[in-house]
Amino acid sequence: MSGDTAPHVVEDLFGIVQLLSDGSVVRGDEAAHTPPAPFPDVPGVQWKDAVYDSTRGLKVRVYRPPVSTAAGDGQGKLPVLVHFHGGGYCIGSYNDLSVAHYLRQRQAADLPALVLSVQYRLAPEHRLPAAIDDGVTFLAWLREQAALGAGAPEPWLAESADFSRTFLSGVSAGANLTHHLAVKVGSGQIELAPARLAGYILLSAYFGGVERVASESDPPDDVSLTVEMSDQLWRMALPVGATRDHPLANPFAPGSPDLGPVALPPALVEAPGRDVLRDRVLGYAKRLKEMGKAVEVAEFDGQQHGFSVLRWGEPNEELIRILKRFVLQTK
């Protein structure tokens, strides 16, 4: 009698992603579980997709504001806001049509800016650092666009991008990715010139660690991300056998880069009040401030993890105002 057994499910993420005992992955239709809510488009905002990594077929969605609001620097040049979506590195998409799509349109229109929503490979099919590597590849593509100037193959960038005012941003796992890319740029591992990283923005940053922080040990009520969900996503996204103190999860764990000498640009850190990761986010900002880094913290009491892409309301409007001020004041 054979001792072989059929592969069985070892991780089940809401039925959307199932990791089997043999390492294979069964991925369902994410849109069927979270259908996009009808949301109005922002009048005049246009968007289109471009391929930034032809080898892997990875794309970026480019949003540009209405011509009437695209004053930019007075010469039609606009800051470039790079955006990485959330989803614990396991789900989510650069081109979803939910509230996140509306947020990117509002960013394009209200800042105003060219907003670039970047696709990256997802775990557990592609465990970290695959997504970080894709971010590096994207920045190489962006640098090439800047170097080509008026001859850049993407006409919207060639016509309107002020690459000297490039900002990295992301929600949740996208904010984690943003942090790691900002560190790579600030430490000289990535060369952006003639583009320049002017600042970076972390929205509901997704960090981890083996030792629980207070907001994890005594979580607030009515959260969008539970401690158990966060742990599961890290198990599925990190290299096999890694703990939550892996440097990609915990920026201050042993083995993580020393951020003291890193030339980080100014940072805007958003911290929702009803988030099990709230104390990790605030701790991140506090540590950077202690190192002398320029950090602005925007706290949103009563809001959930990732609120900016969950629903729309006055907190989102306030966030847009804060983003606009940060981008305009950061040179």
Side-chain angles (χ1 to χ4, degrees):
M1 180 177 180
S2 171
D4 293 341
T5 58
H8 59 278
V9 176
V10 295
E11 298 283 0
D12 187 343
L13 184 64
F14 311 125
I16 301 173
V17 185
Q18 292 182 324
L19 176 62
L20 305 186
S21 55
D22 64 354
S24 60
V25 176
V26 177
R27 187 174 287 271
D29 181 5
E30 185 176 335
H33 294 267
T34 55
F39 229 81
D41 289 329
V42 176
V45 174
Q46 297 177 296
W47 62 89
K48 66 176 181 178
D49 290 355
V51 175
Y52 75 85
D53 184 346
S54 58
T55 301
R56 297 189 172 97
L58 296 174
K59 298 179 180 179
V60 54
R61 176 157 291 185
V62 184
Y63 296 78
R64 71 171 178 180
V67 173
S68 60
T69 63
D73 62 0
Q75 299 178 346
K77 297 298 184 181
L78 297 163
V80 176
L81 180 67
V82 178
H83 176 85
F84 296 98
H85 68 81
Y89 284 118
C90 294
I91 57 176
S93 174
Y94 79 105
N95 64 352
D96 69 86
L97 296 176
S98 63
V99 180
H101 179 59
Y102 182 73
L103 171 65
R104 295 189 290 267
Q105 292 184 68
R106 285 293 302 274
Q107 290 171 331
D110 288 27
L111 297 183
L114 290 168
V115 178
L116 279 60
S117 178
V118 184
Q119 181 184 23
Y120 56 85
R121 288 172 292 167
L122 298 177
E125 298 96 323
H126 306 284
R127 289 179 176 267
L128 291 170
I132 311 296
D133 293 341
D134 292 341
V136 172
T137 300
F138 172 77
L139 291 183
W141 177 86
L142 191 68
R143 176 178 180 268
E144 180 182 13
Q145 300 295 311
L148 291 172
E154 288 308 317
W156 289 1
L157 296 179
E159 295 164 4
S160 304
D162 179 358
F163 291 103
S164 70
R165 299 178 62 213
T166 296
F167 294 80
L168 298 180
S169 70
V171 178
S172 192
N176 177 287
L177 200 165
T178 294
H179 158 79
H180 291 294
L181 292 180
V183 171
K184 287 182 179 295
V185 173
S187 61
Q189 298 176 58
I190 297 176
E191 177 56 62
L192 271 186
R196 169 180 163 269
L197 182 59
Y200 70 107
I201 300 162
L202 307 186
L203 306 179
S204 300
Y206 181 56
F207 294 127
V210 171
E211 184 177 350
R212 299 297 189 193
V213 294
S215 56
E216 293 171 329
S217 299
D218 184 19
D221 296 328
D222 189 25
V223 296
S224 59
L225 175 75
T226 67
V227 173
E228 294 74 22
M229 290 163 55
S230 177
D231 289 353
Q232 181 184 28
L233 288 164
W234 281 125
R235 288 195 304 270
M236 297 174 72
L238 287 169
V240 175
T243 73
R244 295 188 304 277
D245 276 339
H246 189 285
L248 293 178
N250 186 348
F252 302 111
S256 295
D258 178 6
L259 301 183
V262 177
L264 288 171
L268 171 63
V269 177
E270 170 243 89
R274 293 213 315 270
D275 186 355
V276 299
L277 302 182
R278 176 178 181 272
D279 289 342
R280 292 199 180 278
V281 172
L282 293 177
Y284 172 89
K286 181 174 182 289
R287 292 283 292 272
L288 291 191
K289 286 182 178 179
E290 291 171 348
M291 297 175 190
K293 313 299 184 187
V295 183
E296 176 184 347
V297 177
E299 296 192 57
F300 286 83
D301 293 338
Q303 297 305 307
Q304 298 175 324
H305 180 88
F307 74 89
S308 61
V309 294
L310 293 178
R311 61 190 64 84
W312 199 267
E314 176 51 35
N316 306 68
E317 298 289 346
E318 176 62 16
L319 178 60
I320 289 289
R321 291 190 286 269
I322 292 171
L323 291 173
K324 180 173 183 176
R325 185 179 70 244
F326 178 76
V327 170
L328 287 177
Q329 293 179 351
T330 304
K331 301 300 182 182

